[in-house]
Amino acid sequence: MVGVDTRAEIRDFLATRRAKISPQQVGLPVTGRRRVPGLRREEVAVLAGMSTDWYVRLERGHIADVSDDVLAAVARALQLDEAEQAHLHDLARAARPTRRPHRRPRPRIRPSVQWMLDSMTAAPAFVRNGRMDILASNTLGRALYAPMFDHGDQPGPVNIARFNFLNPRARDFYPHWDTAADTTVAIMRTEAGRDPHDRDLTDLVGELATRSDEFRSRWAGHDVRLHYTGPKSFHHPVVGHLDLVFEAIDLPTDDLRGLNLTVYTAPPGSATEDALKLLASWAASHDTTIAPDAGEAITAEHPIIGEQ
């Protein structure tokens, strides 16, 4: 994949959003036999205050010169959330014939960013891009994602999406694998809307769509997400179950955009806080660039939680 058909992206995004809303949800009468779920195009047009022909033209991808007011009307009609509204505007910008397929500059993280990560000794933290590459992390972050850093002969940086969909260990690492997989694809979809001409991203999408049915079906759903806070669970091969809370912020950079700093914490006094302390102790005495197999490299001083 060397580029993106932006008209097809717009068509499929609007069609999938339309399919998720029933006439009853928006107060419209149900008339006639309905062959497909959700709203019809003419119903969306009525709700958005425009002609059916005009909406059909929009759904066919002709939105490059559409005003923000028209996009807002469509967003209201389709009951788009904040992430979906932003994605629609991103797709409209991408439809303008000003961009060509390109590759992002080679990632360079400022030394001060790494220093900031290293100063966080009690919380796992890392920096990723919209392609889900982990570009920098602290020691505890590498320890938390140890199964992911043990990526064998995979080229380039550690990639969360590649681990989720191509590594069988992911289903053990994520107790709620379906949720983790949905989130990963939604983040990548959001990034694809921001920069659909990024060849590195489209190459990865092509690879995963070819090799993973789970990824391909989720990608076809066109779901997007703003991923800034929430709970997340892991089953770590060294310390067992972890119930963490993450906070994420967009990180300004010198030569890249779309970077995200994520920090995990545990409630004070919780079992997970104790597990993080144990993980930090383990990380201090082990090479966390390579994860142990479950049950291996665990000494009497660092038993698996639950077996003590």
Side-chain angles (χ1 to χ4, degrees), residues 147-164:
M148 198 175 299
F149 277 90
D150 181 18
H151 60 294
D153 58 355
Q154 289 293 334
V158 170
N159 184 271
I160 296 171
R162 191 176 278 119
F163 175 78
N164 280 359

Side-chain angles (χ1 to χ4, degrees), residues 128-143:
R128 65 159 177 83
N129 58 17
R131 188 177 178 266
M132 305 304 286
D133 294 323
I134 296 181
L135 304 178
S137 67
N138 64 1
T139 298
L140 198 51
R142 293 179 72 88

Side-chain angles (χ1 to χ4, degrees), residues 168-187:
R169 298 175 72 184
R171 292 179 183 268
D172 294 327
F173 185 60
Y174 293 110
H176 308 294
W177 182 86
D178 284 314
T179 299
D182 291 343
T183 299
T184 296
V185 175
I187 292 172

Side-chain angles (χ1 to χ4, degrees), residues 9 20 31 39 51 55 62-63 77 92 96 98 121 136 146 151 187 190 251 260 278 287 294:
E9 291 292 306
K20 290 187 173 185
T31 58
L39 296 176
S51 70
Y55 177 75
H62 300 281
I63 68 172
R96 297 164 189 160
T98 59
T121 57
H151 60 294
I187 292 172
T190 303
L251 191 66
N260 178 279
L278 180 60
D287 179 3

Side-chain angles (χ1 to χ4, degrees), residues 12-293:
D12 293 343
F13 176 67
L14 291 177
T16 54
R17 300 315 94 179
R18 181 163 54 82
K20 290 187 173 185
I21 302 177
S22 67
Q24 295 92 332
Q25 285 178 272
V26 293
L28 292 177
V30 179
T31 58
R33 182 180 178 183
R34 308 183 78 87
R35 298 182 180 179
V36 295
L39 296 176
R40 295 167 174 162
R41 292 184 181 90
E42 56 267 28
E43 291 169 334
V44 178
V46 169
L47 293 169
M50 62 182 65
S51 70
T52 299
D53 288 344
W54 183 234
Y55 177 75
V56 169
R57 178 177 169 80
L58 294 183
E59 194 168 294
R60 288 176 178 170
H62 300 281
I63 68 172
D65 298 319
V66 172
S67 70
D68 288 344
D69 288 341
V70 171
L71 294 179
V74 172
R76 286 193 299 272
L78 294 175
Q79 299 184 359
L80 302 186
D81 63 22
E82 182 182 359
E84 292 168 329
Q85 292 177 47
H87 189 63
L88 179 61
H89 283 269
D90 286 337
L91 291 174
R93 283 190 289 271
R96 297 164 189 160
T98 59
R99 302 288 300 276
R100 294 291 182 270
H102 63 276
R103 294 198 183 275
R104 294 272 186 94
R106 186 172 182 175
R108 290 182 296 174
I109 301 297
R110 292 193 304 272
S112 58
V113 172
Q114 186 62 59
W115 301 338
M116 175 181 64
L117 290 170
D118 291 340
S119 71
M120 302 178 190
T121 57
F126 65 91
V127 173
R128 65 159 177 83
N129 58 17
R131 188 177 178 266
M132 305 304 286
D133 294 323
I134 296 181
L135 304 178
S137 67
N138 64 1
T139 298
L140 198 51
R142 293 179 72 88
L144 174 63
Y145 280 108
M148 198 175 299
F149 277 90
D150 181 18
H151 60 294
D153 58 355
Q154 289 293 334
V158 170
N159 184 271
I160 296 171
R162 191 176 278 119
F163 175 78
N164 280 359
F165 290 100
L166 302 183
N167 193 321
R169 298 175 72 184
R171 292 179 183 268
D172 294 327
F173 185 60
Y174 293 110
H176 308 294
W177 182 86
D178 284 314
T179 299
D182 291 343
T183 299
T184 296
V185 175
I187 292 172
M188 293 175 66
R189 261 292 178 197
T190 303
E191 182 66 14
R194 294 185 184 123
D195 191 357
H197 305 290
D198 179 358
R199 285 191 175 184
D200 290 327
L201 178 58
T202 54
D203 285 351
L204 178 61
V205 169
E207 175 194 352
L208 295 176
T210 299
R211 300 176 62 185
S212 170
D213 292 339
E214 295 274 14
F215 177 87
R216 184 165 59 251
S217 63
R218 285 172 168 80
W219 189 256
H222 287 263
D223 292 326
V224 293
R225 182 174 302 186
L226 299 177
H227 195 60
Y228 291 121
T229 186
K232 198 158 187 177
S233 297
F234 302 90
H235 184 80
H236 196 277
V238 173
V239 298
H241 191 79
L242 298 166
D243 287 318
L244 297 167
V245 177
F246 75 89
E247 296 291 337
I249 59 172
D250 293 328
L251 191 66
T253 62
D254 296 329
D255 56 357
L256 294 173
R257 64 186 183 87
L259 296 193
N260 178 279
L261 169 65
T262 299
V263 181
Y264 290 108
T265 56
S270 66
T272 294
E273 184 186 43
D274 292 338
L276 281 183
K277 292 176 181 177
L278 180 60
L279 184 60
S281 177
W282 173 82
S285 57
H286 291 76
D287 179 3
T288 56
T289 62
I290 300 177
D293 292 330

